[in-house]
Amino acid sequence: MKRLKLLILSLLLILTLIPVSIYAEGEDNAPDVSVYASRTQLMDDTFMPSNNGTANNIGKIIFGKNSSGDPQEWYILGADSKVNGGQINTIIFAASPIATGQSFNSISYGDTSYNYGAGTGYGETEGSKTVYRNHYGASDLRVTLQNMATNTSYFTTAEQGLMNDTTVTTWDEYNDCNYTVTDKLYAPAADGYGSSYTTIKAGSDSSTVIAMSSYWDSGTWFWLRSPENSSGGMVLVAYEGFYVCEFNVISKSAVRPASNLNLTNVLFTSAAETPSEADNGLRYSAISTDKAMTLRLDGNGKNIGTVVYDSTNGIIKASKGSTDKAVTLVIQGKNGDNWYYSQIVDNTFAISVNDIENALNIANVNLNNCKIWLEISDDNVSYAVQATSDSISTISSVDIKDIDDPKANAELDLEAICDTTGITNTKPSVEWNTDSTKADYFTKYTATVELSADITHIFGDTVSATVNGNPATDVTKNTNGTLTVTYTFSPTAKDVLNTIESPEFTYENGTSTDDFIFPDTVTITTKGNNTLSVPVAWDKEALSNYNPSDLNEQILTLKGKVSIPEYIDYTGNETTMTITVKYKIRLTDGDGQTVTITSNKPAVFRSNAENIDFSRVEVDGNTIEKDKDYTVKEGSIIVTLNPEYLASLSLGEHTIAIVSYKYKDNERYEVRAEGSFTTTKPASTAIIIPNTSVK
């Protein structure tokens, strides 16, 4: 029994020595802290270096730009207890040079003067001191950093507003005392130089240690603010990948400053990227754990929009607010690798877990473990609103009502009602397939309504719709998440026929029905004095049997049947109508005129035939002589009978024919534009002879 107890105790002891990983629910697939960190994690010991300058987590953010205009990356070092009341801030240290080729001081020999402020280490009042060239407060390096902090080429106005002042202490070798300066950007410090010095320091009390092995193990050397205390012309530099060493103040070196950020309005920082125009509004990718993150500030009050996720159904619903900035939906998670999925939200947008999984070729995405938010960018700063969890319901049918049926000569209704649960625009606008605001007679009109779902609803892939209780003509789910419903109404209000107009149609000379010009439609005038063109059905068999023997025949009467639309009421009107069909070739001017032959005026006649087809002119059946008896000119054919010829004619009525040629089936035939005119003389006038006398 004792041996059994000893065996059990031994097993228990062994089990207690085996490490057991315990995961908080929902955190097993959360993004790594190096690619997504909360505001608290930016301030606590998550990224804060230990006493030897190394850290369990190395994190970087993007903030501002370097002298080349590229995004500047910074290491996150945790809160500074003496900045911003010791709360809501983090120290950052440039991960690469923000500038190169910078001298510490341009003074090659001799000392310089330093103007100091009250309470900075030289007394209770401001004044001036003589200092060595390696004095940081009087250095060109400090002036450069001060200018950078206020230069929008490096930091936008919004970014400058996030930079806290930091007061740092440095040794004055000349005056054998410490002094302080307060700036937004400052050079790190070091305790000494030589191969044993492989750490530098940041923070207001220089207590944040930055180890070379973790933060500056490659690159080029960069300026520190600490003087080399045996010579007034030497200052310390961090020789990347080696140690801290001394350097002449007039030499050129890189600038890798430290700073402090106010995190009061920061929600989190993330390495997820937003899409550009080149991405067509969509971007997704795996994220490397060494990728720099971007701060996301609190976007409440920026009218960005709202985002909700339903982990049970695997749906995310986003709705853009009233901002004029581009809004992006971002989802960040981890399924083996860290990943993100981002898409521009134009209006209302919904995606499913399947969309994310298919894009990234991953499986088993759990929205509860993801980070989800909407964001905008303004002045190189990102603002975000985070998602809330809620159930999202599917809308499978909508009921649109109160669209007035179009009525002829009445205004088209421009507003509908849709009180279906989940619809945001309960009084949607109605668009019509016409530019007119009023309906016409005998016309079919189509109404179009676009509906939007609220943040906790989405339209299903198949949605049924009714309009005024009738099935919609068409229902379309749009890519932006909205729903378009169309409905075609019956033709506009009926009217009673009043008259059928019988316009004059013309007949082209010939011997077959092909030469007839018959209308396809006729005009009907309604009781309301509106007009409508309706088709005519001709008796083709009767037409085919017609073969005029006389080309001079002027009138041809045919019957056609008018096809009355079903939606027009007609009362007391025949559907059969008589149409007069005439030749095309005829006199258009001059027919029936009276000519006074002693007036020395010509008589003018016009045929509507082409001038090129002109043949001759006949008067009383006799061909008269061109140029002598008449002239001819274009327009179409204008014939002018000369006064001398008119004077040779007897008084009374005469016939005239302007004869032209026509061709059909390569045979020439004549067509005649015939008419008449009357010649007359004025009444006789008495001749009075005066009396004469003979002397």
Side-chain angles (χ1 to χ4, degrees):
M1 180 64 69
K2 288 183 178 179
R3 294 184 63 183
L4 180 58
K5 289 182 178 179
L6 289 172
L7 179 60
I8 293 172
L9 289 172
S10 298
L11 289 172
L12 289 173
L13 179 61
I14 293 171
L15 289 172
T16 58
L17 296 175
I18 298 174
V20 178
S21 297
I22 301 176
Y23 294 96
E25 183 180 356
E27 292 297 322
D28 53 337
N29 285 326
D32 287 330
V33 71
S34 60
V35 293
Y36 182 98
S38 67
R39 180 176 68 179
T40 299
Q41 290 170 320
L42 295 174
M43 298 186 295
D44 62 17
D45 58 1
T46 300
F47 298 104
M48 185 177 293
S50 62
N51 291 334
N52 65 5
T54 63
N56 293 327
N57 297 298
I58 302 294
K60 292 185 292 184
I61 65 168
I62 296 172
F63 188 75
K65 296 180 179 179
N66 61 26
S67 58
S68 298
D70 298 321
Q72 178 65 43
E73 296 184 0
W74 305 75
Y75 287 112
I76 306 165
L77 303 179
D80 188 326
S81 61
K82 294 185 178 179
V83 174
N84 198 28
Q87 299 178 356
I88 318 180
N89 76 85
T90 187
I91 304 167
I92 57 174
F93 165 58
S96 60
I98 194 170
T100 58
Q102 173 69 43
S103 61
F104 187 87
N105 209 323
S106 59
I107 302 174
S108 57
Y109 63 90
D111 301 326
T112 186
S113 178
Y114 174 59
N115 296 321
Y116 58 86
T120 60
Y122 298 105
E124 297 303 320
T125 59
E126 63 182 20
S128 178
K129 287 278 187 180
T130 299
V131 295
Y132 287 135
R133 288 173 288 139
N134 62 6
H135 189 281
Y136 174 68
S139 68
D140 293 342
L141 173 62
R142 184 188 175 208
V143 172
T144 295
L145 292 174
Q146 288 174 326
N147 291 336
M148 284 181 177
T150 57
N151 188 335
T152 54
S153 296
Y154 289 92
F155 304 97
T156 67
T157 302
E159 289 173 326
Q160 291 175 25
L162 298 176
M163 300 170 70
N164 285 321
D165 283 326
T166 303
T167 300
V168 295
T169 302
T170 310
W171 178 254
D172 179 351
E173 183 183 358
Y174 188 100
N175 294 289
D176 198 24
C177 68
N178 283 322
Y179 66 96
T180 62
V181 294
T182 302
D183 296 309
K184 294 183 183 296
L185 293 173
Y186 61 94
D191 293 331
Y193 65 94
S195 59
S196 61
Y197 290 91
T198 58
T199 60
I200 58 177
K201 296 182 176 181
S204 58
D205 55 3
S206 296
S207 62
T208 300
V209 181
I210 306 171
M212 178 189 69
S213 59
S214 299
Y215 299 96
W216 49 284
D217 61 345
S218 63
T220 184
W221 38 28
F222 56 91
W223 289 116
L224 304 176
R225 71 176 185 272
S226 303
E228 187 276 318
N229 290 329
S230 63
S231 170
M234 304 293 287
V235 73
L236 302 186
V237 295
Y239 191 0
E240 296 189 66
F242 291 91
Y243 44 81
V244 177
C245 62
E246 59 181 347
F247 221 43
N248 192 295
V249 295
I250 62 172
S251 299
K252 303 293 184 180
S253 186
V255 182
R256 284 184 61 180
S259 187
N260 188 284
L261 295 184
N262 187 335
L263 303 180
T264 302
N265 292 320
V266 172
L267 295 178
F268 60 92
T269 186
S270 167
E273 297 180 354
T274 55
S276 64
E277 293 183 1
D279 302 309
N280 295 320
L282 176 65
R283 177 175 284 191
Y284 49 86
S285 176
I287 310 177
S288 172
T289 54
D290 63 353
K291 186 175 178 60
M293 299 180 282
T294 300
L295 294 174
R296 266 70 176 194
L297 277 63
D298 188 349
N300 289 319
K302 295 286 186 179
N303 300 316
I304 296 174
T306 310
V307 57
V308 171
Y309 69 93
D310 183 339
S311 59
T312 302
N313 295 309
I315 298 173
I316 301 170
K317 177 73 181 290
S319 180
K320 181 180 179 181
S322 60
T323 178
D324 58 356
K325 305 292 183 182
V327 175
T328 302
L329 168 66
V330 186
I331 306 104
Q332 188 173 351
K334 180 181 179 183
N335 287 61
D337 293 327
N338 290 281
W339 55 263
Y340 73 90
Y341 179 104
S342 59
Q343 185 161 353
I344 291 176
V345 179
D346 290 328
N347 189 352
T348 301
F349 178 71
I351 65 169
S352 68
V353 163
N354 289 336
D355 296 325
I356 301 169
E357 292 176 342
N358 292 335
L360 290 157
N361 194 25
I362 56 178
N364 302 320
V365 169
N366 184 348
L367 295 182
N368 284 328
N369 300 333
C370 296
K371 308 298 182 181
I372 306 169
W373 68 92
L374 293 179
E375 70 173 53
I376 62 171
S377 179
D378 188 11
D379 200 23
N380 208 42
V381 173
S382 295
Y383 297 88
V385 291
Q386 294 172 297
T388 57
S389 175
D390 204 340
S391 60
I392 299 176
S393 302
T394 300
I395 300 174
S396 58
S397 64
V398 294
D399 179 29
I400 300 169
K401 50 195 176 184
D402 284 4
I403 302 179
D404 294 339
D405 287 10
K407 295 185 183 300
N409 210 34
E411 296 285 341
L412 292 166
D413 194 359
L414 300 179
E415 185 179 86
I417 291 178
C418 183
D419 52 15
T420 301
T421 301
I423 300 300
T424 56
N425 53 334
T426 56
K427 293 184 177 181
S429 299
V430 180
E431 300 290 337
W432 296 92
N433 59 331
T434 178
D435 293 332
S436 176
T437 60
K438 288 186 177 181
D440 201 353
Y441 284 87
F442 325 120
T443 306
K444 290 184 178 182
Y445 288 98
T446 298
T448 300
V449 172
E450 186 172 290
L451 301 175
S452 299
D454 64 28
I455 196 63
T456 59
H457 288 80
I458 61 170
F459 294 110
D461 293 332
T462 301
V463 181
S464 64
T466 57
V467 177
N468 291 356
N470 302 310
T473 305
D474 184 69
V475 181
T476 302
K477 181 180 178 181
N478 304 310
T479 56
N480 66 358
T482 61
L483 191 76
T484 299
V485 179
T486 62
Y487 179 73
T488 301
F489 288 82
S490 297
T492 46
K494 299 178 180 181
D495 203 357
V496 179
L497 292 177
N498 188 19
T499 63
I500 299 179
E501 293 184 359
S502 177
E504 181 180 282
F505 300 101
T506 57
Y507 161 63
E508 178 76 46
N509 294 50
T511 58
S512 73
T513 58
D514 293 339
D515 296 308
F516 290 94
I517 305 298
F518 296 113
D520 293 324
T521 61
V522 296
T523 300
I524 295 177
T525 302
T526 68
K527 194 171 184 179
N529 291 322
N530 290 279
T531 59
L532 172 71
S533 293
V534 296
V536 180
W538 294 97
D539 188 340
K540 301 296 184 183
E541 183 177 357
L543 291 175
S544 64
N545 293 329
Y546 177 76
N547 187 6
S549 58
D550 185 358
L551 292 176
N552 294 324
E553 183 178 353
Q554 292 291 317
I555 303 297
L556 171 64
T557 299
L558 298 171
K559 285 182 181 277
K561 291 187 177 181
V562 181
S563 177
I564 304 295
E566 294 180 359
Y567 53 88
I568 300 177
D569 291 334
Y570 52 93
T571 304
N573 292 100
E574 295 289 338
T575 59
T576 301
M577 67 182 205
T578 300
I579 298 177
T580 300
V581 182
K582 289 187 175 182
Y583 295 132
K584 276 187 175 178
I585 305 304
R586 63 186 183 276
L587 286 182
T588 59
D589 291 308
D591 187 22
Q593 66 180 294
T594 298
V595 181
T596 302
I597 60 176
T598 60
S599 64
N600 201 34
K601 291 183 179 180
V604 180
F605 303 85
R606 184 193 301 265
S607 166
N608 65 347
E610 296 292 333
N611 184 264
I612 194 173
D613 298 327
F614 174 75
S615 172
R616 64 186 183 277
V617 175
E618 295 178 358
V619 174
D620 298 332
N622 301 312
T623 300
I624 62 176
E625 189 174 346
K626 185 180 178 183
D627 295 332
K628 176 185 175 184
D629 299 331
Y630 70 93
T631 60
V632 62
K633 64 179 181 179
E634 294 184 6
S636 298
I637 301 175
I638 300 175
V639 171
T640 302
L641 300 183
N642 297 330
E644 294 80 7
Y645 172 73
L646 292 172
S648 68
L649 297 175
S650 61
L651 300 180
E653 185 175 338
H654 302 271
T655 62
I656 185 171
I658 300 175
V659 183
S660 302
Y661 291 119
K662 281 290 183 182
Y663 294 86
K664 183 174 179 61
D665 299 329
N666 295 322
E667 294 184 8
R668 189 176 77 167
Y669 59 92
E670 292 181 346
V671 291
R672 305 168 66 86
E674 296 182 335
S676 64
F677 65 94
T678 301
T679 56
T680 186
K681 286 185 178 181
S684 299
T685 303
I687 300 175
I688 301 175
I689 301 175
N691 292 327
T692 60
S693 59
V694 179
K695 293 182 180 180

